Amino acid sequence: MSSNPASGAKPTPPDQDEYAAYSNSIVGAAIFDLNGLPKEYFTAGESSNMSWVQTIFQALGLRSLLMSSLQLEGFHHAVIQGPDCCAVVVKQPARYMALLIQQAEPTSTMTESFVQWVQRFEPSVLKTHPRFRAA
């Protein structure tokens, strides 16, 4: 986004606009270290069901096994589809980030731009966001 310094108005960072657009569909988040071990969990609202985190843990273990056995490189993201929600797992520079997304339709949220947004997502936002609590 370009800005006109003469106007005195500060541009809104694109991430804030994207966060506003995407955040309402996030119902859970989990942060894993680069070894695939879970570090932190967050839930939105009253939901405390964290069973999806086990699925992500298993997917990261499978990824590790495939990479060592088949010398596969270049993992960027994975999507695990459920009946009402899906989980997207992305590799960030210092961690894996997993978000549980509630979807009205299976393809409504999971776009390439959304995956790119998750890759840039800073999980520290969840610690102070009023919608989320540590689980």
Side-chain angles (χ1 to χ4, degrees):
M1 174 179 283
S2 64
S3 66
N4 181 353
S7 72
K10 293 175 91 177
T12 302
D15 288 350
Q16 285 183 351
D17 291 339
E18 290 173 326
Y19 184 79
Y22 293 134
S23 66
N24 288 337
S25 61
I26 300 171
V27 293
I31 300 151
F32 297 82
D33 67 18
L34 290 176
N35 293 317
L37 299 175
K39 293 294 184 190
E40 294 181 90
Y41 314 106
F42 298 91
T43 59
E46 300 298 315
S47 175
S48 61
N49 182 353
M50 297 302 293
S51 62
W52 66 276
V53 175
Q54 179 66 29
T55 303
I56 302 301
F57 179 71
Q58 291 169 343
L60 288 173
L62 179 60
R63 180 214 54 89
S64 179
L65 178 65
L66 289 173
M67 286 181 69
S68 66
S69 298
L70 302 175
Q71 286 77 44
L72 295 177
E73 295 295 329
F75 173 86
H76 297 285
H77 76 279
V79 176
I80 302 166
Q81 189 67 49
D84 299 322
C85 295
C86 74
V88 60
V89 185
V90 298
K91 185 175 183 185
Q92 294 180 333
R95 67 189 146 257
Y96 288 100
M97 179 78 205
L99 295 178
L100 184 64
I101 309 299
Q102 188 163 22
Q103 304 185 122
E105 297 178 26
T107 59
S108 62
T109 305
M110 210 48 56
T111 63
E112 185 62 33
S113 63
F114 179 74
V115 171
Q116 290 172 1
W117 177 80
V118 177
Q119 288 171 326
R120 295 184 314 270
F121 184 79
E122 178 54 51
S124 62
V125 169
L126 300 172
K127 293 178 182 178
T128 58
H129 195 284
R131 228 179 116 232
F132 292 93
R133 62 180 172 81

